[in-house]
Amino acid sequence: MQRCDRTVRAGAALAACAVGAAWAQAQGAVTFPAVSPQAIVDHVKVLASDAFEGRAPGSRGEERTIAYLVEQFRVLGLQPGNTDGTYIQKVPLVGVTADPAMSLAFEKGTTSQTLAYRDDFVAWTRRVVDRVALDDAELVFVGYGVAAPEFAWDDYKGVDLSGKMLVMLVGDPPVPDPADPSRLDPKTFGGRAMTYYGRWTYKFEMGAEKRAAGVLLVHETGPAGYPFSVVQGMGGEKFDLLTPDKNMARAAIEGWMALDRAKQLFAMAGHDFEALKKQAATRAFAPVPLGATASIVIRNSLRTVDSHNVVARLEGSDQALKEEHVVYTAHWDHFGIGAPVNGDRIYNGALDNASGTGALVELARAFTKVAPPPRRSILFLAVTAEEQSLLGSDFYARHPIYPLARTLAAINVDSLNIYGRTADLTVVGLGNSDLDDYAAAAAAEQRRRVGGDPEPERGGYYRSDHFPFARQGVPALNAGGGSEFIGRPPDYAKQIREAYTAKHYHQPSDEYRPDWDLGGAIEDLQLLLKVGYRVANADRYPEWKGGTEFKARREQMLKEAGVR
Ligand SMILES: [Zn+2]
């Protein structure tokens, strides 16, 4: 059963073989049931049907989705996952819709530019108020807007930016490798891999920290990871967790502008965008007042929304361990009904993430049949509002039903591989935690190699529901798909990725098609089943590897809880 041979190449994977082998010896034979591709397709056909209206939080689509999932878990015989005896965790959200009748004006002396909403920029406020206005706020270019002490990097240099409109670049500062200037320095911001400093969510958080009036990100397809059309889609109703301060600590304005318009703004203000962008990639960079101002008014309509995570529990078989959990997550939500594209207004989200949600149900089914049953408990958590910056999983991670110190791992499923089997397995953020070793061991048993994210510059580790768990300290795994499709040309993975990002990602055309090939996805799910099961039965907790940004937090948490 255990194959630790030359198909394994990485050192980490060899260590994983040792983990797997020791585990296999200790446990004896385990029967893992098969996961059915047809069952997943059946779930997708329901969840991504027009009747579910794109599964927006707070919509009729949510009601139908929640009812469907609760029924699935109930029929499987899983326990209600909430300690109040229900399968529901309430997630109070506020929905803020900005009136699209807004424009953004830049002014320098007697010259001015007016940007058109959607075509040139998208902006919103996360403040829970009817109206926000900036009147001639001074524009200041702050480069990448990064303050990262561990890389001796500070784009702000102590400049007071309160009340200013900050213009920021997306992505990490691209610092050349001193040894080979043709590539990025792997020791600064992870080289090609995106760190959290590159994420747009981080940039807006910095705007709040600097007490800025607003933050405008300059959209560039490469560093952002998606085309401007995706940014344009960010313009509808925005959800947030309902916080006591009504988000008044956030910058009043958050938004994006198209690259061309940024260049025009810099030119009008007498600056060269490309030259300043180059400076911004150096430690010497300091904020550059553009000598121009920005004005904008945003009117909001507001509503509070009771959204919900669905949570089901399979109780562990070991009396001493059943209060400890392994969590599987998948987000059930998508964008609902929105701006029409080619006449279609329903954002069905078949791949993203009806597929992962269906997989979550089927993983739960498999766990009810695995023999012997797992010693620790398994939690199946279908979360809301992932598309609104991971709100449902963030809510759970901040208000866990079962203590995080006794939660061994979070394993996330977001968008299955629908393109067939792969010779390898992609582990996003490979090398972060011991869970990667478990994944490598299970992959080796499938005679698959393990590889890192082929596009680490897109920051995949920060972009789905495992991340809020990681941020709180819980080791978290996001693995699936691969870069080498069996029987396909070497660039096939890149082709399908690019085609999907350009045509279907967050578009109404993300629908179920009969040509989906779940062969690879089924292998991934069998693997994730084994990983979670083995963690649930292991003698020791999985840990973060040294040097990861989450390790200290976990150790502190375990210490405080007296786990060690
Ligand atoms: Zn998505």
Side-chain angles (χ1 to χ4, degrees):
M1 186 174 104
Q2 179 72 26
R3 291 276 181 281
C4 290
D5 53 26
R6 51 206 138 326
T7 60
V8 179
R9 64 176 178 191
L14 285 170
C17 281
V19 171
W23 171 87
Q25 254 175 14
Q27 298 299 317
V30 177
T31 317
F32 291 103
V35 175
S36 152
Q38 189 54 47
I40 292 173
V41 166
D42 291 345
H43 294 306
V44 170
K45 283 182 174 169
V46 175
L47 294 166
S49 66
D50 284 356
F52 278 59
E53 298 181 350
R55 305 185 307 280
S59 71
R60 197 162 51 170
E62 161 159 1
E63 282 171 35
R64 289 175 184 165
T65 304
I66 299 301
Y68 181 80
L69 293 174
V70 168
E71 181 62 9
Q72 294 296 317
F73 288 131
R74 199 187 58 76
V75 168
L76 284 175
L78 267 62
Q79 291 180 354
N82 201 334
T83 45
D84 67 5
T86 71
Y87 291 93
I88 298 293
Q89 182 184 40
K90 285 187 187 156
V91 181
L93 300 179
V94 58
V96 181
T97 309
D99 183 349
M102 68 171 101
S103 61
L104 171 64
F106 296 139
E107 227 178 276
K108 171 157 179 127
T110 53
T111 52
S112 67
Q113 292 172 356
T114 303
L115 279 69
Y117 183 72
R118 252 180 94 82
D119 287 350
D120 303 328
F121 82 102
V122 172
W124 59 82
T125 183
R126 298 207 91 133
R127 294 185 174 182
V128 185
V129 292
D130 297 332
R131 181 180 182 276
V132 293
L134 290 193
D135 194 16
D136 287 332
E138 280 177 56
L139 285 152
V140 180
F141 177 60
V142 293
Y144 289 87
V146 169
E150 67 273 39
F151 300 123
W153 194 282
D154 180 14
D155 285 329
Y156 298 99
K157 304 286 189 296
V159 174
D160 178 9
L161 295 164
S162 59
K164 312 287 190 211
M165 178 71 125
L166 309 185
V167 178
M168 285 190 208
L169 303 169
V170 287
D172 293 316
V175 181
D177 188 343
D180 173 6
S182 71
R183 48 175 225 150
L184 294 175
D185 183 1
K187 291 196 202 77
T188 311
F189 301 111
R192 223 184 111 215
M194 190 195 276
T195 68
Y196 190 57
Y197 300 112
R199 290 284 295 150
W200 55 276
T201 48
Y202 168 80
K203 315 272 177 187
F204 293 137
E205 285 160 14
M206 285 311 287
E209 197 174 312
K210 298 293 168 188
R211 308 174 63 84
V215 175
L216 278 177
L217 302 180
V218 178
H219 176 267
E220 290 185 83
T221 301
Y226 32 70
F228 196 64
S229 58
V230 170
V231 170
Q232 288 171 321
M234 292 176 179
E237 182 172 35
K238 308 202 85 59
F239 293 98
D240 225 322
L241 296 178
L242 199 54
T243 58
D245 80 336
K246 301 200 167 196
N247 295 334
M248 294 309 281
R250 298 198 67 124
I253 304 285
E254 299 178 1
W256 295 75
M257 66 178 143
L259 177 59
D260 285 356
R261 300 314 304 250
K263 288 181 178 171
Q264 284 175 22
L265 163 65
F266 280 59
M268 179 185 81
H271 298 278
D272 178 351
F273 176 80
E274 293 299 340
L276 285 183
K277 188 177 155 185
K278 270 210 187 85
Q279 277 182 30
T282 67
R283 284 192 173 82
F285 176 84
V288 180
L290 292 179
T293 61
S295 300
I296 184 172
V297 177
I298 296 180
R299 287 181 186 80
N300 283 326
S301 50
L302 304 171
R303 62 174 180 138
T304 53
V305 169
D306 295 320
S307 197
H308 307 87
N309 292 332
V310 180
V311 52
R313 179 172 185 261
L314 181 78
E315 187 160 89
S317 60
D318 187 326
Q319 287 305 313
L321 296 178
K322 67 180 188 175
E323 294 312 317
E324 303 186 349
H325 291 78
V326 170
V327 182
Y328 285 86
T329 54
H331 75 87
W332 60 254
D333 68 299
H334 200 57
F335 288 98
I337 296 174
V341 178
N342 300 325
D344 186 358
R345 300 179 59 218
I346 301 179
Y347 289 65
N348 304 79
L351 182 58
D352 182 11
N353 184 31
S355 69
T357 307
L360 185 74
V361 173
E362 292 312 305
L363 280 169
R365 187 186 314 279
F367 264 104
T368 63
K369 293 187 192 153
V370 65
R375 294 166 66 197
R376 293 188 179 86
S377 297
I378 313 289
L379 208 62
F380 300 93
L381 182 61
V383 294
T384 181
E386 187 269 354
E387 306 288 14
Q388 313 286 336
S389 65
L390 319 178
L391 298 179
S393 51
D394 194 35
F395 186 84
Y396 183 91
R398 291 171 194 274
H399 308 279
I401 296 172
Y402 304 94
L404 295 187
R406 300 271 177 192
T407 300
L408 279 79
I411 300 173
N412 187 45
V413 188
D414 188 356
S415 303
L416 298 181
N417 164 18
I418 55 167
Y419 305 103
R421 293 180 56 214
T422 58
D424 58 342
L425 170 76
T426 296
V427 177
V428 178
L430 180 63
N432 271 349
S433 83
D434 295 346
L435 296 176
D436 299 357
D437 301 338
Y438 280 91
E445 290 162 26
Q446 296 176 331
R447 300 181 174 273
R448 295 166 79 193
R449 289 176 289 98
V450 158
D453 186 350
E455 295 182 300
E457 65 276 17
R458 299 181 71 214
Y461 200 72
Y462 312 101
R463 290 177 58 175
S464 192
D465 294 302
H466 52 285
F467 176 60
F469 285 86
R471 185 161 55 191
Q472 300 297 334
V474 178
L477 177 70
N478 190 23
S483 56
E484 198 183 316
F485 282 83
I486 294 168
R488 301 284 190 173
D491 64 345
Y492 187 68
K494 190 163 180 280
Q495 279 176 35
I496 54 176
R497 218 165 43 228
E498 285 172 2
Y500 171 69
T501 304
K503 286 188 220 150
H504 302 305
Y505 175 65
H506 291 182
Q507 305 283 336
S509 61
D510 177 6
E511 294 180 326
Y512 174 71
R513 293 184 314 274
D515 66 357
W516 282 21
D517 177 348
L518 291 179
I522 293 300
E523 283 197 323
D524 292 348
L525 294 171
Q526 300 286 165
L527 181 146
L528 296 179
L529 171 65
K530 278 186 180 175
V531 169
Y533 179 85
R534 290 171 179 176
V535 171
N537 281 21
D539 292 331
R540 45 186 290 272
Y541 280 29
E543 290 177 15
W544 294 103
K545 304 281 190 196
T548 48
E549 60 253 66
F550 316 109
K551 190 176 176 66
R553 185 100 196 230
R554 180 61 163 179
E555 284 175 356
Q556 181 70 18
M557 175 199 299
L558 296 182
K559 214 168 109 193
E560 279 168 17
V563 176
R564 68 178 57 150

